[in-house]
Amino acid sequence: MDLSIAKAIIVKGAGNRGKTTLIFEFIKNILNDGGEIVMPNHYTKSEIINKNKPSDYCMIIKYKGKNVLIMSKGDNEGELKRQIASFIKINITIDIVIGAARTRGQTVWWWQGNFPKRLSFFHNNQDLKENERAEYIKKQLHSLKEMFNKYL
């Protein structure tokens, strides 16, 4: 896997602030908009689109001619390394990475070390009541898509 040209957008926030939910909704959004799962092949587009409960994913999606690597497990450096390792031997160039990180510490440093000049953090760190979460995620998804579209 070639990451030399990849730009990274990292959803950054404390635990239980909706990083997984936001990235999950982002995946569903781009799959609904013509994205196709490249790898791994055990995921199906319909399975993800029809799923209601957010889950973490590590996958490559072809979207509008770009290869997008999704790495939504961002709670510790080991998870980030495992996700990258699962694709490292694949002969594919990644254009955009969507990932997750805690607000500070090892996951932030890992992203900064691996994408020093091609990294943007997307802050998703509101402490919300459960009844406010859906509307917040909807607004955040719109903003994340705007940032993402700049790289297409």
Side-chain angles (χ1 to χ4, degrees):
M1 179 172 59
D2 180 5
L3 293 167
S4 62
I5 65 166
K7 293 179 174 65
I9 300 172
I10 308 308
V11 177
K12 183 178 169 186
N16 297 313
R17 293 294 200 272
K19 297 182 300 292
T20 293
T21 302
L22 179 59
I23 294 173
F24 174 70
E25 291 299 328
F26 176 82
I27 292 168
K28 287 173 67 169
N29 188 280
I30 65 173
L31 289 175
N32 271 322
D33 191 33
E36 294 295 332
I37 299 169
V38 175
M39 308 188 83
N41 59 11
H42 64 268
Y43 294 131
T44 67
K45 187 174 181 173
S46 62
E47 166 198 347
I48 294 170
I49 289 171
N50 294 321
K51 193 171 185 180
N52 292 322
K53 188 173 191 277
S55 298
D56 280 312
Y57 286 96
C58 181
M59 62 174 40
I60 298 171
I61 297 173
K62 183 75 139 187
Y63 181 69
K64 295 190 177 182
K66 303 285 185 181
N67 291 316
V68 182
L69 173 62
I70 308 284
M71 296 173 47
S72 65
K73 291 182 183 178
D75 287 338
N76 66 60
E77 185 178 6
E79 289 173 345
L80 296 171
K81 288 178 178 178
R82 278 189 293 282
Q83 289 174 94
I84 284 285
S86 66
F87 294 118
I88 204 73
K89 293 181 180 177
I90 307 301
N91 185 21
I92 191 168
T93 298
I94 300 299
D95 300 292
I96 304 169
V97 178
I98 302 293
R102 291 290 179 118
T103 54
R104 61 185 180 276
Q106 60 178 271
T107 55
V108 172
W109 301 330
W110 188 88
W111 287 111
Q112 289 170 331
N114 285 282
F115 297 88
K117 295 188 186 327
R118 305 174 322 272
L119 175 67
S120 298
F121 284 109
F122 182 87
H123 297 277
N124 192 66
N125 203 29
Q126 289 289 99
D127 189 13
L128 301 168
K129 295 180 179 128
E130 198 56 43
N131 64 341
E132 300 169 326
R133 189 173 284 247
E135 188 61 32
Y136 176 71
I137 292 296
K138 188 176 175 182
K139 289 177 185 174
Q140 288 292 84
L141 178 60
H142 178 76
S143 297
L144 179 59
K145 279 284 291 196
E146 283 183 341
M147 182 183 266
F148 175 74
N149 285 335
K150 290 177 184 174
Y151 294 138
L152 290 178

